Amino acid sequence: MKLYYSPKACSLADHIALQEAGAKFELERVNPATKRTASGRDFNDINPKGCVPVIEMDDGSLLTENVAILDWIAAQFPKLGVPGEMGRTRLIEALTFISTELHHSFRHLLDAKSEEEAQAKAGIRIRFRWISGTFKGHYLFDDHPSVADFYLFVMLLWAERFDVNVPTRLTTFKELMRSRAAVSVALAVEAA
């Protein structure tokens, strides 16, 4: 399979998850400004939505949207999911919160004027405060990371980039994530 990604985008969560799982996959970088892939293809021909991530399966079928891809990865590699009768539901609940409440909120910082920026950051801080109180261990659900932890980590990198203060619990979590081999590999590859 192949993961289409852009550095510093939410596709980093999928990249980390695949690394963590030990999956066999290829990467293809997408330039978000030109919509061209590293091999020169028009990315809009691959995904008419125009955004990463996209996983191209070995049979040529495509899967788009970060929550769907992360859910699929957790289904293929159960160690990255959440066990128990309500495990998958709780995982989708966390992924949806991260996607709709955190990820979407950062869009308000991209073109914000100063007064809008302060308001957007305040809203993001509230959401980070809430999720910091939901941890069941070192990670969101226990002492093993799930795909939701990888997505939350990316949001914390964005918080760092946009100078959004986060609770100490999340700073500790971010550093714990940085210490994971899969995270180091994905960050190094995407920085190249």
mmCIF file of all heavy atoms in Angstrom, residues 23-45:
data_model
loop_
_atom_site.group_PDB
_atom_site.id
_atom_site.type_symbol
_atom_site.label_atom_id
_atom_site.label_comp_id
_atom_site.label_asym_id
_atom_site.label_seq_id
_atom_site.Cartn_x
_atom_site.Cartn_y
_atom_site.Cartn_z
ATOM 1 N N ALA A 23 3.914 -2.017 9.528
ATOM 2 C CA ALA A 23 3.282 -2.300 8.240
ATOM 3 C C ALA A 23 4.261 -2.097 7.096
ATOM 4 O O ALA A 23 5.181 -1.281 7.194
ATOM 5 C CB ALA A 23 2.068 -1.389 8.052
ATOM 6 N N LYS A 24 4.016 -2.816 6.009
ATOM 7 C CA LYS A 24 4.792 -2.610 4.789
ATOM 8 C C LYS A 24 4.023 -1.617 3.936
ATOM 9 O O LYS A 24 2.875 -1.872 3.561
ATOM 10 C CB LYS A 24 4.976 -3.927 4.053
ATOM 11 C CG LYS A 24 5.837 -4.902 4.825
ATOM 12 C CD LYS A 24 6.088 -6.161 4.048
ATOM 13 C CE LYS A 24 6.880 -7.082 4.965
ATOM 14 N NZ LYS A 24 7.725 -7.991 4.311
ATOM 15 N N PHE A 25 4.662 -0.480 3.669
ATOM 16 C CA PHE A 25 3.998 0.560 2.892
ATOM 17 C C PHE A 25 5.029 1.457 2.232
ATOM 18 O O PHE A 25 6.181 1.508 2.642
ATOM 19 C CB PHE A 25 3.058 1.400 3.781
ATOM 20 C CG PHE A 25 3.756 2.220 4.821
ATOM 21 C CD1 PHE A 25 3.981 3.580 4.638
ATOM 22 C CD2 PHE A 25 4.211 1.645 6.011
ATOM 23 C CE1 PHE A 25 4.627 4.344 5.596
ATOM 24 C CE2 PHE A 25 4.858 2.400 6.975
ATOM 25 C CZ PHE A 25 5.066 3.754 6.774
ATOM 26 N N GLU A 26 4.575 2.136 1.199
ATOM 27 C CA GLU A 26 5.377 3.146 0.518
ATOM 28 C C GLU A 26 4.812 4.504 0.890
ATOM 29 O O GLU A 26 3.659 4.615 1.302
ATOM 30 C CB GLU A 26 5.279 2.978 -1.001
ATOM 31 C CG GLU A 26 5.806 1.678 -1.529
ATOM 32 C CD GLU A 26 5.523 1.530 -3.018
ATOM 33 O OE1 GLU A 26 5.320 2.564 -3.702
ATOM 34 O OE2 GLU A 26 5.498 0.390 -3.486
ATOM 35 N N LEU A 27 5.634 5.512 0.705
ATOM 36 C CA LEU A 27 5.206 6.890 0.927
ATOM 37 C C LEU A 27 5.334 7.674 -0.367
ATOM 38 O O LEU A 27 6.264 7.440 -1.141
ATOM 39 C CB LEU A 27 6.095 7.565 1.973
ATOM 40 C CG LEU A 27 5.938 7.120 3.412
ATOM 41 C CD1 LEU A 27 7.106 7.633 4.240
ATOM 42 C CD2 LEU A 27 4.624 7.622 3.970
ATOM 43 N N GLU A 28 4.403 8.584 -0.579
ATOM 44 C CA GLU A 28 4.545 9.527 -1.690
ATOM 45 C C GLU A 28 4.149 10.901 -1.180
ATOM 46 O O GLU A 28 3.023 11.112 -0.727
ATOM 47 C CB GLU A 28 3.708 9.150 -2.903
ATOM 48 C CG GLU A 28 3.938 10.133 -4.027
ATOM 49 C CD GLU A 28 4.070 9.504 -5.396
ATOM 50 O OE1 GLU A 28 3.886 8.292 -5.523
ATOM 51 O OE2 GLU A 28 4.354 10.259 -6.329
ATOM 52 N N ARG A 29 5.111 11.785 -1.253
ATOM 53 C CA ARG A 29 4.921 13.156 -0.781
ATOM 54 C C ARG A 29 4.056 13.950 -1.751
ATOM 55 O O ARG A 29 4.193 13.816 -2.963
ATOM 56 C CB ARG A 29 6.294 13.809 -0.627
ATOM 57 C CG ARG A 29 6.303 15.139 0.024
ATOM 58 C CD ARG A 29 7.740 15.622 0.136
ATOM 59 N NE ARG A 29 7.807 16.830 0.900
ATOM 60 C CZ ARG A 29 8.765 17.112 1.758
ATOM 61 N NH1 ARG A 29 9.754 16.259 1.950
ATOM 62 N NH2 ARG A 29 8.757 18.235 2.411
ATOM 63 N N VAL A 30 3.181 14.779 -1.196
ATOM 64 C CA VAL A 30 2.317 15.636 -1.986
ATOM 65 C C VAL A 30 2.610 17.079 -1.616
ATOM 66 O O VAL A 30 2.660 17.424 -0.429
ATOM 67 C CB VAL A 30 0.822 15.326 -1.717
ATOM 68 C CG1 VAL A 30 -0.079 16.282 -2.483
ATOM 69 C CG2 VAL A 30 0.506 13.875 -2.058
ATOM 70 N N ASN A 31 2.812 17.914 -2.624
ATOM 71 C CA ASN A 31 2.987 19.339 -2.386
ATOM 72 C C ASN A 31 1.591 19.950 -2.302
ATOM 73 O O ASN A 31 0.858 19.962 -3.296
ATOM 74 C CB ASN A 31 3.785 19.972 -3.528
ATOM 75 C CG ASN A 31 4.035 21.442 -3.318
ATOM 76 O OD1 ASN A 31 3.160 22.179 -2.873
ATOM 77 N ND2 ASN A 31 5.231 21.874 -3.665
ATOM 78 N N PRO A 32 1.197 20.462 -1.123
ATOM 79 C CA PRO A 32 -0.167 20.974 -0.985
ATOM 80 C C PRO A 32 -0.435 22.232 -1.812
ATOM 81 O O PRO A 32 -1.578 22.497 -2.180
ATOM 82 C CB PRO A 32 -0.296 21.260 0.512
ATOM 83 C CG PRO A 32 1.093 21.345 1.031
ATOM 84 C CD PRO A 32 1.960 20.545 0.120
ATOM 85 N N ALA A 33 0.599 22.971 -2.141
ATOM 86 C CA ALA A 33 0.416 24.201 -2.927
ATOM 87 C C ALA A 33 0.207 23.898 -4.412
ATOM 88 O O ALA A 33 -0.668 24.463 -5.054
ATOM 89 C CB ALA A 33 1.610 25.129 -2.740
ATOM 90 N N THR A 34 1.010 22.980 -4.947
ATOM 91 C CA THR A 34 0.938 22.680 -6.382
ATOM 92 C C THR A 34 0.038 21.497 -6.696
ATOM 93 O O THR A 34 -0.302 21.269 -7.859
ATOM 94 C CB THR A 34 2.338 22.373 -6.941
ATOM 95 O OG1 THR A 34 2.835 21.175 -6.324
ATOM 96 C CG2 THR A 34 3.293 23.530 -6.708
ATOM 97 N N LYS A 35 -0.295 20.718 -5.677
ATOM 98 C CA LYS A 35 -1.096 19.488 -5.839
ATOM 99 C C LYS A 35 -0.394 18.484 -6.759
ATOM 100 O O LYS A 35 -1.023 17.748 -7.502
ATOM 101 C CB LYS A 35 -2.508 19.790 -6.362
ATOM 102 C CG LYS A 35 -3.307 20.709 -5.477
ATOM 103 C CD LYS A 35 -3.610 20.081 -4.139
ATOM 104 C CE LYS A 35 -4.477 21.012 -3.312
ATOM 105 N NZ LYS A 35 -4.639 20.572 -1.956
ATOM 106 N N ARG A 36 0.932 18.450 -6.681
ATOM 107 C CA ARG A 36 1.725 17.475 -7.432
ATOM 108 C C ARG A 36 2.370 16.514 -6.449
ATOM 109 O O ARG A 36 2.793 16.912 -5.360
ATOM 110 C CB ARG A 36 2.843 18.147 -8.247
ATOM 111 C CG ARG A 36 2.432 19.226 -9.217
ATOM 112 C CD ARG A 36 1.494 18.826 -10.290
ATOM 113 N NE ARG A 36 2.020 17.898 -11.261
ATOM 114 C CZ ARG A 36 1.312 17.476 -12.299
ATOM 115 N NH1 ARG A 36 0.072 17.887 -12.475
ATOM 116 N NH2 ARG A 36 1.823 16.630 -13.157
ATOM 117 N N THR A 37 2.455 15.253 -6.860
ATOM 118 C CA THR A 37 3.125 14.264 -6.027
ATOM 119 C C THR A 37 4.619 14.285 -6.348
ATOM 120 O O THR A 37 5.036 14.862 -7.358
ATOM 121 C CB THR A 37 2.571 12.849 -6.278
ATOM 122 O OG1 THR A 37 2.972 12.435 -7.596
ATOM 123 C CG2 THR A 37 1.064 12.798 -6.131
ATOM 124 N N ALA A 38 5.398 13.641 -5.510
ATOM 125 C CA ALA A 38 6.845 13.582 -5.728
ATOM 126 C C ALA A 38 7.185 12.933 -7.062
ATOM 127 O O ALA A 38 8.199 13.269 -7.674
ATOM 128 C CB ALA A 38 7.510 12.831 -4.584
ATOM 129 N N SER A 39 6.328 12.027 -7.543
ATOM 130 C CA SER A 39 6.588 11.374 -8.826
ATOM 131 C C SER A 39 6.051 12.187 -10.007
ATOM 132 O O SER A 39 6.158 11.757 -11.154
ATOM 133 C CB SER A 39 5.965 9.974 -8.847
ATOM 134 O OG SER A 39 4.552 10.054 -8.751
ATOM 135 N N GLY A 40 5.457 13.367 -9.724
ATOM 136 C CA GLY A 40 5.009 14.257 -10.781
ATOM 137 C C GLY A 40 3.542 14.129 -11.163
ATOM 138 O O GLY A 40 3.072 14.814 -12.065
ATOM 139 N N ARG A 41 2.806 13.266 -10.486
ATOM 140 C CA ARG A 41 1.381 13.101 -10.797
ATOM 141 C C ARG A 41 0.565 14.255 -10.245
ATOM 142 O O ARG A 41 0.939 14.878 -9.252
ATOM 143 C CB ARG A 41 0.857 11.795 -10.182
ATOM 144 C CG ARG A 41 1.414 10.553 -10.850
ATOM 145 C CD ARG A 41 0.900 9.288 -10.238
ATOM 146 N NE ARG A 41 -0.541 9.134 -10.444
ATOM 147 C CZ ARG A 41 -1.274 8.233 -9.812
ATOM 148 N NH1 ARG A 41 -0.719 7.406 -8.932
ATOM 149 N NH2 ARG A 41 -2.570 8.147 -10.040
ATOM 150 N N ASP A 42 -0.550 14.514 -10.895
ATOM 151 C CA ASP A 42 -1.515 15.493 -10.398
ATOM 152 C C ASP A 42 -2.288 14.818 -9.268
ATOM 153 O O ASP A 42 -3.022 13.856 -9.499
ATOM 154 C CB ASP A 42 -2.446 15.917 -11.528
ATOM 155 C CG ASP A 42 -3.464 16.967 -11.102
ATOM 156 O OD1 ASP A 42 -3.659 17.185 -9.883
ATOM 157 O OD2 ASP A 42 -4.075 17.576 -11.999
ATOM 158 N N PHE A 43 -2.120 15.319 -8.057
ATOM 159 C CA PHE A 43 -2.755 14.690 -6.900
ATOM 160 C C PHE A 43 -4.278 14.725 -6.995
ATOM 161 O O PHE A 43 -4.958 13.844 -6.491
ATOM 162 C CB PHE A 43 -2.279 15.343 -5.595
ATOM 163 C CG PHE A 43 -2.826 14.678 -4.366
ATOM 164 C CD1 PHE A 43 -2.514 13.364 -4.073
ATOM 165 C CD2 PHE A 43 -3.658 15.365 -3.499
ATOM 166 C CE1 PHE A 43 -3.017 12.738 -2.944
ATOM 167 C CE2 PHE A 43 -4.173 14.752 -2.364
ATOM 168 C CZ PHE A 43 -3.847 13.438 -2.083
ATOM 169 N N ASN A 44 -4.821 15.722 -7.672
ATOM 170 C CA ASN A 44 -6.275 15.791 -7.840
ATOM 171 C C ASN A 44 -6.812 14.623 -8.660
ATOM 172 O O ASN A 44 -7.984 14.275 -8.528
ATOM 173 C CB ASN A 44 -6.690 17.120 -8.462
ATOM 174 C CG ASN A 44 -6.511 18.261 -7.484
ATOM 175 O OD1 ASN A 44 -6.868 18.171 -6.321
ATOM 176 N ND2 ASN A 44 -5.916 19.341 -7.965
ATOM 177 N N ASP A 45 -5.965 14.005 -9.481
ATOM 178 C CA ASP A 45 -6.377 12.795 -10.200
ATOM 179 C C ASP A 45 -6.464 11.602 -9.250
ATOM 180 O O ASP A 45 -7.220 10.674 -9.500
ATOM 181 C CB ASP A 45 -5.400 12.466 -11.331
ATOM 182 C CG ASP A 45 -5.465 13.461 -12.483
ATOM 183 O OD1 ASP A 45 -6.471 14.193 -12.595
ATOM 184 O OD2 ASP A 45 -4.487 13.501 -13.260
#
